[in-house]
Short mmCIF file of all heavy atoms in Angstrom, two decimals:
data_model
loop_
_atom_site.label_atom_id
_atom_site.label_comp_id
_atom_site.label_asym_id
_atom_site.label_seq_id
_atom_site.Cartn_x
_atom_site.Cartn_y
_atom_site.Cartn_z
N TYR A 77 168.10 115.17 21.01
CA TYR A 77 167.22 114.52 20.04
C TYR A 77 165.93 115.34 19.94
O TYR A 77 165.67 116.20 20.76
CB TYR A 77 166.91 113.07 20.43
CG TYR A 77 166.12 112.89 21.69
CD1 TYR A 77 164.72 112.84 21.66
CD2 TYR A 77 166.76 112.78 22.92
CE1 TYR A 77 163.99 112.67 22.83
CE2 TYR A 77 166.04 112.61 24.08
CZ TYR A 77 164.65 112.56 24.03
OH TYR A 77 163.93 112.40 25.19
N THR A 78 165.18 115.08 18.90
CA THR A 78 163.96 115.86 18.71
C THR A 78 162.74 114.95 18.75
O THR A 78 162.77 113.81 18.31
CB THR A 78 163.97 116.62 17.36
OG1 THR A 78 163.14 115.92 16.43
CG2 THR A 78 165.35 116.71 16.80
N ILE A 79 161.66 115.48 19.31
CA ILE A 79 160.39 114.77 19.32
C ILE A 79 159.28 115.80 19.19
O ILE A 79 159.28 116.82 19.88
CB ILE A 79 160.21 113.94 20.60
CG1 ILE A 79 158.88 113.22 20.60
CG2 ILE A 79 160.36 114.77 21.85
CD1 ILE A 79 158.82 111.98 21.42
N TYR A 80 158.36 115.57 18.26
CA TYR A 80 157.27 116.52 17.99
C TYR A 80 157.81 117.93 17.76
O TYR A 80 157.25 118.91 18.23
CB TYR A 80 156.26 116.53 19.13
CG TYR A 80 155.47 115.26 19.21
CD1 TYR A 80 155.62 114.40 20.28
CD2 TYR A 80 154.57 114.93 18.20
CE1 TYR A 80 154.89 113.23 20.36
CE2 TYR A 80 153.84 113.76 18.26
CZ TYR A 80 154.01 112.91 19.34
OH TYR A 80 153.29 111.77 19.40
N GLY A 81 158.95 118.01 17.09
CA GLY A 81 159.51 119.32 16.78
C GLY A 81 160.20 120.00 17.95
O GLY A 81 160.62 121.15 17.83
N GLN A 82 160.32 119.32 19.09
CA GLN A 82 161.00 119.89 20.25
C GLN A 82 162.39 119.29 20.37
O GLN A 82 162.59 118.11 20.08
CB GLN A 82 160.21 119.59 21.53
CG GLN A 82 158.73 119.82 21.42
CD GLN A 82 158.39 121.27 21.26
OE1 GLN A 82 158.92 122.11 21.97
NE2 GLN A 82 157.49 121.57 20.36
N PHE A 83 163.34 120.10 20.81
CA PHE A 83 164.70 119.62 21.03
C PHE A 83 164.90 119.32 22.51
O PHE A 83 164.59 120.17 23.35
CB PHE A 83 165.71 120.66 20.55
CG PHE A 83 165.70 120.83 19.06
CD1 PHE A 83 164.77 121.66 18.45
CD2 PHE A 83 166.59 120.12 18.26
CE1 PHE A 83 164.75 121.80 17.07
CE2 PHE A 83 166.57 120.25 16.88
CZ PHE A 83 165.65 121.09 16.28
N LEU A 84 165.40 118.12 22.81
CA LEU A 84 165.56 117.71 24.20
C LEU A 84 167.03 117.45 24.51
O LEU A 84 167.74 116.83 23.72
CB LEU A 84 164.72 116.47 24.50
CG LEU A 84 163.24 116.74 24.85
CD1 LEU A 84 162.48 117.39 23.73
CD2 LEU A 84 162.57 115.46 25.28
N LEU A 85 167.45 117.94 25.66
CA LEU A 85 168.87 117.93 26.03
C LEU A 85 169.20 116.86 27.06
O LEU A 85 168.54 116.76 28.09
CB LEU A 85 169.26 119.29 26.58
CG LEU A 85 170.71 119.45 27.04
CD1 LEU A 85 171.67 119.32 25.87
CD2 LEU A 85 170.89 120.78 27.74
N ASN A 86 170.25 116.09 26.78
CA ASN A 86 170.71 115.05 27.70
C ASN A 86 172.21 115.16 27.94
O ASN A 86 172.94 115.69 27.10
CB ASN A 86 170.45 113.65 27.11
CG ASN A 86 168.98 113.41 26.83
OD1 ASN A 86 168.30 112.77 27.60
ND2 ASN A 86 168.49 113.93 25.71
N VAL A 87 172.64 114.63 29.09
CA VAL A 87 174.06 114.45 29.38
C VAL A 87 174.33 112.95 29.39
O VAL A 87 173.62 112.20 30.05
CB VAL A 87 174.44 114.97 30.78
CG1 VAL A 87 175.95 114.99 30.94
CG2 VAL A 87 173.84 116.32 31.05
N ILE A 88 175.34 112.54 28.63
CA ILE A 88 175.67 111.12 28.62
C ILE A 88 176.48 110.77 29.86
O ILE A 88 177.39 111.51 30.25
CB ILE A 88 176.45 110.76 27.34
CG1 ILE A 88 175.56 111.01 26.12
CG2 ILE A 88 176.92 109.31 27.39
CD1 ILE A 88 174.18 110.40 26.22
N THR A 89 176.12 109.65 30.46
CA THR A 89 176.84 109.15 31.63
C THR A 89 177.47 107.80 31.28
O THR A 89 177.11 107.19 30.28
CB THR A 89 175.88 108.95 32.82
OG1 THR A 89 174.87 108.01 32.45
CG2 THR A 89 175.21 110.26 33.20
N GLN A 90 178.37 107.38 32.09
CA GLN A 90 179.05 106.08 31.96
C GLN A 90 180.06 106.09 30.80
O GLN A 90 179.96 106.89 29.88
CB GLN A 90 178.05 104.94 31.78
CG GLN A 90 176.95 104.91 32.85
CD GLN A 90 177.50 104.99 34.26
OE1 GLN A 90 178.46 104.29 34.60
NE2 GLN A 90 176.95 105.87 35.09
N PRO A 91 181.04 105.18 30.88
CA PRO A 91 182.09 105.12 29.86
C PRO A 91 181.53 104.77 28.49
O PRO A 91 180.41 104.26 28.37
CB PRO A 91 183.02 104.01 30.37
CG PRO A 91 182.76 103.92 31.83
CD PRO A 91 181.31 104.26 32.01
N GLU A 92 182.33 105.04 27.49
CA GLU A 92 182.00 104.72 26.10
C GLU A 92 181.46 103.29 25.98
O GLU A 92 182.00 102.36 26.58
CB GLU A 92 183.28 104.85 25.27
CG GLU A 92 183.05 104.94 23.79
CD GLU A 92 184.36 105.21 23.05
OE1 GLU A 92 185.22 105.93 23.60
OE2 GLU A 92 184.51 104.68 21.92
N GLY A 93 180.36 103.13 25.26
CA GLY A 93 179.81 101.79 25.05
C GLY A 93 178.71 101.43 26.03
O GLY A 93 178.00 100.45 25.84
N VAL A 94 178.57 102.22 27.11
CA VAL A 94 177.48 101.99 28.07
C VAL A 94 176.46 103.11 27.88
O VAL A 94 176.69 104.23 28.31
CB VAL A 94 178.00 101.98 29.52
CG1 VAL A 94 176.85 101.70 30.50
CG2 VAL A 94 179.10 100.95 29.68
N PRO A 95 175.35 102.82 27.20
CA PRO A 95 174.47 103.87 26.67
C PRO A 95 173.46 104.42 27.69
O PRO A 95 172.26 104.21 27.55
CB PRO A 95 173.76 103.17 25.52
CG PRO A 95 173.67 101.74 25.97
CD PRO A 95 174.92 101.48 26.76
N GLN A 96 173.94 105.13 28.68
CA GLN A 96 173.05 105.71 29.67
C GLN A 96 173.17 107.24 29.65
O GLN A 96 174.14 107.79 29.15
CB GLN A 96 173.39 105.18 31.07
CG GLN A 96 173.31 103.67 31.16
CD GLN A 96 173.33 103.16 32.58
OE1 GLN A 96 173.19 103.90 33.54
NE2 GLN A 96 173.50 101.84 32.70
N GLY A 97 172.14 107.90 30.20
CA GLY A 97 172.19 109.35 30.21
C GLY A 97 171.14 109.97 31.11
O GLY A 97 170.31 109.28 31.69
N VAL A 98 171.22 111.30 31.21
CA VAL A 98 170.29 112.06 32.05
C VAL A 98 169.64 113.14 31.19
O VAL A 98 170.33 113.92 30.54
CB VAL A 98 171.02 112.70 33.24
CG1 VAL A 98 170.07 113.59 34.04
CG2 VAL A 98 171.63 111.64 34.14
N LEU A 99 168.31 113.18 31.20
CA LEU A 99 167.55 114.20 30.50
C LEU A 99 167.37 115.42 31.40
O LEU A 99 166.98 115.28 32.55
CB LEU A 99 166.18 113.65 30.10
CG LEU A 99 165.15 114.63 29.54
CD1 LEU A 99 165.59 115.19 28.20
CD2 LEU A 99 163.78 113.97 29.42
N ILE A 100 167.69 116.60 30.87
CA ILE A 100 167.49 117.84 31.62
C ILE A 100 166.08 118.33 31.35
O ILE A 100 165.76 118.72 30.23
CB ILE A 100 168.50 118.93 31.19
CG1 ILE A 100 169.92 118.39 31.13
CG2 ILE A 100 168.40 120.16 32.10
CD1 ILE A 100 170.51 118.04 32.45
N ARG A 101 165.24 118.35 32.37
CA ARG A 101 163.82 118.67 32.17
C ARG A 101 163.39 120.05 32.66
O ARG A 101 162.31 120.53 32.29
CB ARG A 101 162.95 117.62 32.88
CG ARG A 101 162.82 116.29 32.17
CD ARG A 101 161.70 115.47 32.80
NE ARG A 101 160.48 116.24 32.83
CZ ARG A 101 159.57 116.23 31.86
NH1 ARG A 101 159.72 115.45 30.82
NH2 ARG A 101 158.50 116.97 31.95
N GLY A 102 164.19 120.64 33.52
CA GLY A 102 163.79 121.94 34.07
C GLY A 102 164.98 122.78 34.47
O GLY A 102 165.99 122.25 34.93
N LEU A 103 164.87 124.08 34.26
CA LEU A 103 165.97 125.01 34.51
C LEU A 103 165.41 126.25 35.19
O LEU A 103 164.34 126.74 34.83
CB LEU A 103 166.56 125.41 33.15
CG LEU A 103 168.05 125.57 32.96
CD1 LEU A 103 168.80 124.33 33.41
CD2 LEU A 103 168.34 125.86 31.49
N GLN A 104 166.14 126.74 36.19
CA GLN A 104 165.78 128.03 36.79
C GLN A 104 166.69 129.09 36.18
O GLN A 104 167.89 129.07 36.43
CB GLN A 104 165.96 127.98 38.31
CG GLN A 104 165.68 129.33 38.98
CD GLN A 104 165.79 129.25 40.49
OE1 GLN A 104 165.43 128.25 41.09
NE2 GLN A 104 166.32 130.29 41.10
N PRO A 105 166.15 130.00 35.36
CA PRO A 105 166.99 130.97 34.64
C PRO A 105 167.86 131.77 35.59
O PRO A 105 167.43 132.15 36.68
CB PRO A 105 165.96 131.88 33.96
CG PRO A 105 164.71 131.09 33.89
CD PRO A 105 164.71 130.21 35.10
N ASN A 106 169.09 132.02 35.18
CA ASN A 106 169.97 132.88 35.96
C ASN A 106 170.48 134.01 35.08
O ASN A 106 169.96 135.12 35.15
CB ASN A 106 171.12 132.07 36.56
CG ASN A 106 172.01 132.92 37.45
OD1 ASN A 106 171.54 133.86 38.08
ND2 ASN A 106 173.29 132.61 37.49
N LEU A 107 171.45 133.73 34.21
CA LEU A 107 171.97 134.78 33.34
C LEU A 107 171.19 134.86 32.04
O LEU A 107 170.87 133.84 31.43
CB LEU A 107 173.45 134.51 33.01
CG LEU A 107 174.39 134.36 34.21
CD1 LEU A 107 175.79 133.96 33.74
CD2 LEU A 107 174.44 135.65 35.03
N GLY A 108 170.88 136.08 31.61
CA GLY A 108 170.24 136.27 30.30
C GLY A 108 168.78 135.91 30.26
O GLY A 108 168.26 135.52 29.21
N GLN A 109 168.09 136.10 31.34
CA GLN A 109 166.67 135.75 31.39
C GLN A 109 165.86 136.55 30.37
O GLN A 109 164.89 136.04 29.80
CB GLN A 109 166.11 135.99 32.80
CG GLN A 109 164.67 135.57 32.95
CD GLN A 109 164.19 135.66 34.38
OE1 GLN A 109 164.89 135.25 35.30
NE2 GLN A 109 163.00 136.21 34.59
N GLU A 110 166.30 137.80 30.09
CA GLU A 110 165.59 138.64 29.13
C GLU A 110 165.68 138.03 27.73
O GLU A 110 164.71 138.02 26.98
CB GLU A 110 166.17 140.05 29.11
CG GLU A 110 166.44 140.66 30.49
CD GLU A 110 167.63 140.03 31.21
OE1 GLU A 110 168.54 139.52 30.51
OE2 GLU A 110 167.65 140.04 32.46
N VAL A 111 166.88 137.52 27.40
CA VAL A 111 167.07 136.89 26.10
C VAL A 111 166.20 135.64 25.99
O VAL A 111 165.57 135.38 24.96
CB VAL A 111 168.56 136.52 25.88
CG1 VAL A 111 168.75 135.74 24.59
CG2 VAL A 111 169.42 137.78 25.88
N MET A 112 166.17 134.87 27.06
CA MET A 112 165.34 133.66 27.06
C MET A 112 163.87 134.00 26.82
O MET A 112 163.17 133.32 26.10
CB MET A 112 165.49 132.91 28.39
CG MET A 112 166.89 132.40 28.67
SD MET A 112 166.91 131.31 30.12
CE MET A 112 168.56 131.59 30.74
N GLN A 113 163.46 135.09 27.43
CA GLN A 113 162.09 135.56 27.26
C GLN A 113 161.79 135.79 25.77
O GLN A 113 160.75 135.39 25.26
CB GLN A 113 161.91 136.87 28.02
CG GLN A 113 160.51 137.15 28.50
CD GLN A 113 160.31 136.77 29.96
OE1 GLN A 113 159.57 135.87 30.27
NE2 GLN A 113 161.00 137.45 30.86
N LEU A 114 162.74 136.44 25.10
CA LEU A 114 162.55 136.76 23.69
C LEU A 114 162.58 135.49 22.83
O LEU A 114 161.93 135.43 21.79
CB LEU A 114 163.65 137.72 23.22
CG LEU A 114 163.61 139.12 23.85
CD1 LEU A 114 164.84 139.92 23.46
CD2 LEU A 114 162.34 139.85 23.45
N ASN A 115 163.36 134.51 23.26
CA ASN A 115 163.48 133.27 22.49
C ASN A 115 162.22 132.40 22.56
O ASN A 115 162.00 131.56 21.69
CB ASN A 115 164.67 132.44 22.98
CG ASN A 115 165.99 133.02 22.53
OD1 ASN A 115 166.05 133.78 21.57
ND2 ASN A 115 167.07 132.66 23.21
N ARG A 116 161.43 132.61 23.61
CA ARG A 116 160.22 131.82 23.78
C ARG A 116 159.05 132.51 23.08
O ARG A 116 158.99 133.72 22.98
CB ARG A 116 159.87 131.64 25.26
CG ARG A 116 160.75 130.65 26.02
CD ARG A 116 160.60 129.21 25.54
NE ARG A 116 159.21 128.87 25.28
CZ ARG A 116 158.31 128.61 26.22
NH1 ARG A 116 158.65 128.62 27.48
NH2 ARG A 116 157.08 128.31 25.90
N ARG A 117 158.11 131.71 22.64
CA ARG A 117 156.96 132.26 21.93
C ARG A 117 156.05 133.06 22.87
O ARG A 117 156.02 134.27 22.85
CB ARG A 117 156.14 131.14 21.29
CG ARG A 117 156.84 130.53 20.12
CD ARG A 117 156.13 129.26 19.68
NE ARG A 117 156.67 128.79 18.41
CZ ARG A 117 156.06 128.93 17.25
NH1 ARG A 117 154.89 129.52 17.18
NH2 ARG A 117 156.61 128.48 16.15
N GLN A 118 155.31 132.35 23.66
CA GLN A 118 154.42 133.08 24.56
C GLN A 118 154.40 132.49 25.96
O GLN A 118 153.45 131.81 26.34
CB GLN A 118 152.99 133.16 24.01
CG GLN A 118 152.35 131.87 23.55
CD GLN A 118 152.66 131.55 22.13
OE1 GLN A 118 153.65 130.90 21.85
NE2 GLN A 118 151.83 131.99 21.21
#
Side-chain angles (χ1 to χ4, degrees):
Chain A
Y77 65 91
T78 102
I79 179 155
Y80 291 113
Q82 315 292 315
F83 291 84
L84 276 62
L85 179 65
N86 300 260
V87 190
I88 297 311
T89 60
Q90 308 310 314
E92 197 174 326
V94 182
Q96 302 193 12
V98 175
L99 171 66
I100 312 292
R101 283 193 53 91
L103 220 53
Q104 176 177 324
N106 183 31
L107 304 175
Q109 184 173 316
E110 315 72 27
V111 174
M112 297 189 210
Q113 208 98 246
L114 294 172
N115 285 340
R116 285 295 318 284
R117 289 169 171 256
Q118 50 273 89

